[in-house]
Amino acid sequence: MRPPSKPRALLLPAYAKINLGLEVLGARQDGYHELRTLFQTIELHDDVVVRPRARGLAVRCDHPDVPRDEGNLALRAALELQRYAGVGKGAEIAITKRIPVGGGLGGGSSDAAAVLMGLDHLWGVGLGPAGLQPLARRLGADVPFFLVGGTALGLARGDEVYPLRRQVRGHTLIVDLGRPVSTAAVFARVDRSLTPRENSHTIFRFVSSDLEGLRAFPILSNELERAALEEAPDLADRVGRIRGILIRGGAALALLSGSGSSFFGLFEDGRQAQGAQSALVAAGFIVLRARTVSLDQYRRAWSRSLRARRARGVGNQSRSRHHGDHRRQGHSGRGRKAEGLRIDRV
Ligand code: C5P
């Protein structure tokens, strides 16, 4: 008789997001804000390894600012699933961080979504991305998006997510300002100047128009930016300089992501992105370059990870096999052909 096969460990890429546009329509009864936002996943990602064990949950992470207790959203995701599905089994979660912490790039939420997907599979719960949505919503407003990925519209608290038929493909530069900003504090500031309204202006136009390529982007903005810079006034000068370099370098869009503090530029042309990256580094900024990840690429990454056989040594590696293309300045990338900024229909 063959010995029973060992429980598998899974390695999942937890991609970062940027908000290509974000509008705040008003304050809600539940203390949150009614949003219209355009989410976009990018290749920059954490690595999340989930490994089943007999009982108990534990999380470890290589980043000193990430908590190991229930303050860790990835651990809370595992607990939620355990309770929801009445699972007696436990798991170990190991996170290798690359997404800046507290940067408005959704790193913690993405890690949590990866844990939901991984343990749903390993524990044999079988809810899948649609069945996991209610759990994701309880964990945080950004978590449901990471069960979808690609280019998607976020409504309500940002947690009602619809993938868009038009998927954005391009190159992004992410400038890490290394200065976490509290999302709750930024939203509280928004309230002081908020005029409630029924509908969005620009995101509706973007989603419903036939605009293609570069022409589609200049109408988008981030309505959290002013409040974020009031909350962190020390960033205002740097943000002004970064925006100038990105726009002069050919960015179709240059915005703060979410409530900050990461700032991004979106480019059609990979060489232009590279040029702007060099200019930003020369000006003293820390810059990551990453392509966008579309809905189909995101789904393929999930299914590759969930199909993967027990990966030996998983959790000891510092780089994922899935997408290693995001890079800091100085690392020459594999010489892939520039794809340009396209909006594809899916
Ligand atoms: O859901 P999450 O924990 O990520 O949200 C962090 C904080 O951001 C919330 O506590 C709330 O203050 C604020 N927020 C909001 N409206 C949203 C999303 C977040 O006011 N739509």
Side-chain angles (χ1 to χ4, degrees):
M1 217 174 78
R2 277 207 340 223
S5 62
K6 275 196 186 162
R8 296 177 307 164
L10 289 177
L11 165 61
L12 300 121
Y15 293 102
K17 60 88 179 157
I18 51 176
N19 298 83
L20 298 174
L22 193 155
E23 292 181 47
V24 186
L25 301 193
R28 294 162 51 106
Q29 296 292 334
D30 60 7
Y32 276 74
H33 291 78
E34 186 68 21
L35 303 184
R36 301 290 178 262
T37 187
L38 273 175
F39 288 114
Q40 175 66 55
T41 36
I42 57 173
E43 279 178 323
L44 170 65
H45 64 277
D46 295 340
D47 282 342
V48 176
V49 175
V50 284
R51 192 187 298 275
R53 63 183 200 189
R55 54 181 47 82
L57 295 170
V59 66
R60 58 194 163 85
C61 180
D62 60 349
H63 194 293
D65 297 345
V66 174
R68 275 126 228 231
D69 57 14
E70 285 194 34
N72 186 307
L73 203 58
L75 186 64
R76 289 219 298 278
L79 272 168
E80 276 281 340
L81 184 61
Q82 225 180 17
R83 284 191 203 124
Y84 184 86
V87 173
K89 288 174 252 179
E92 261 173 50
I93 302 160
I95 303 169
T96 305
K97 264 286 166 221
R98 293 197 202 87
I99 304 173
V101 175
L105 299 169
S109 301
S110 188
D111 295 345
V115 166
L116 287 179
M117 286 294 286
L119 292 180
D120 179 56
H121 186 79
L122 283 178
W123 286 342
V125 181
L127 292 171
L132 290 167
Q133 281 284 337
L135 281 79
R137 287 175 112 162
R138 283 206 286 277
L139 291 166
D142 282 347
V143 184
F145 163 66
F146 288 106
L147 295 172
V148 177
T151 314
L153 178 65
L155 307 180
R157 303 185 313 165
D159 57 348
E160 205 180 304
V161 182
Y162 300 94
L164 291 183
R165 202 165 142 244
R166 298 194 305 178
Q167 292 287 301
V168 172
R169 289 175 199 266
H171 304 257
T172 66
L173 293 183
I174 307 294
V175 187
D176 176 9
L177 290 167
R179 166 19 166 141
V181 178
S182 156
T183 304
V186 171
F187 273 105
R189 275 182 189 272
V190 166
D191 285 337
R192 297 181 203 163
S193 58
L194 189 64
T195 313
R197 58 185 200 269
E198 291 281 308
N199 208 344
S200 75
H201 306 306
T202 56
I203 289 176
F204 179 80
R205 271 177 60 207
F206 182 87
V207 170
S208 58
S209 72
D210 277 331
L211 292 172
E212 295 289 342
L214 286 174
R215 283 176 51 220
F217 291 96
I219 61 169
L220 296 172
S221 66
N222 178 356
E223 290 183 357
L224 292 180
E225 192 169 313
R226 207 173 72 190
L229 295 181
E230 279 168 20
E231 180 63 23
D234 50 303
L235 296 183
D237 172 55
R238 279 187 281 166
V239 160
R241 282 194 289 145
I242 294 163
R243 192 194 304 278
I245 295 171
L246 288 169
I247 298 289
R248 281 196 299 280
L253 191 62
L255 296 177
L256 199 72
S257 185
S259 57
S261 63
S262 295
F263 200 89
F264 74 86
L266 177 69
F267 293 82
E268 178 175 20
D269 185 318
R271 276 160 310 190
Q272 276 188 330
Q274 215 169 341
Q277 184 176 21
S278 303
L280 285 163
V281 169
F285 294 107
I286 297 169
V287 191
L288 297 157
R289 185 147 48 96
R291 288 170 192 237
T292 56
V293 173
S294 66
L295 183 64
D296 55 330
Q297 290 170 326
Y298 198 80
R299 285 180 178 161
R300 276 204 298 274
W302 278 135
S303 55
R304 261 201 311 273
S305 295
L306 297 176
R307 269 200 328 259
R309 303 216 173 275
R310 179 165 58 95
R312 249 179 286 134
V314 128
N316 300 328
Q317 59 202 65
S318 61
R319 264 188 108 66
S320 149
R321 288 175 292 119
H322 301 278
H323 287 282
D325 203 33
H326 60 266
R327 48 198 176 251
R328 284 177 191 263
Q329 176 78 3
H331 289 238
S332 64
R334 283 163 283 148
R336 285 216 228 141
K337 208 168 152 246
E339 258 179 24
L341 185 55
R342 300 203 319 261
I343 302 182
D344 288 348
R345 293 174 194 283
V346 292

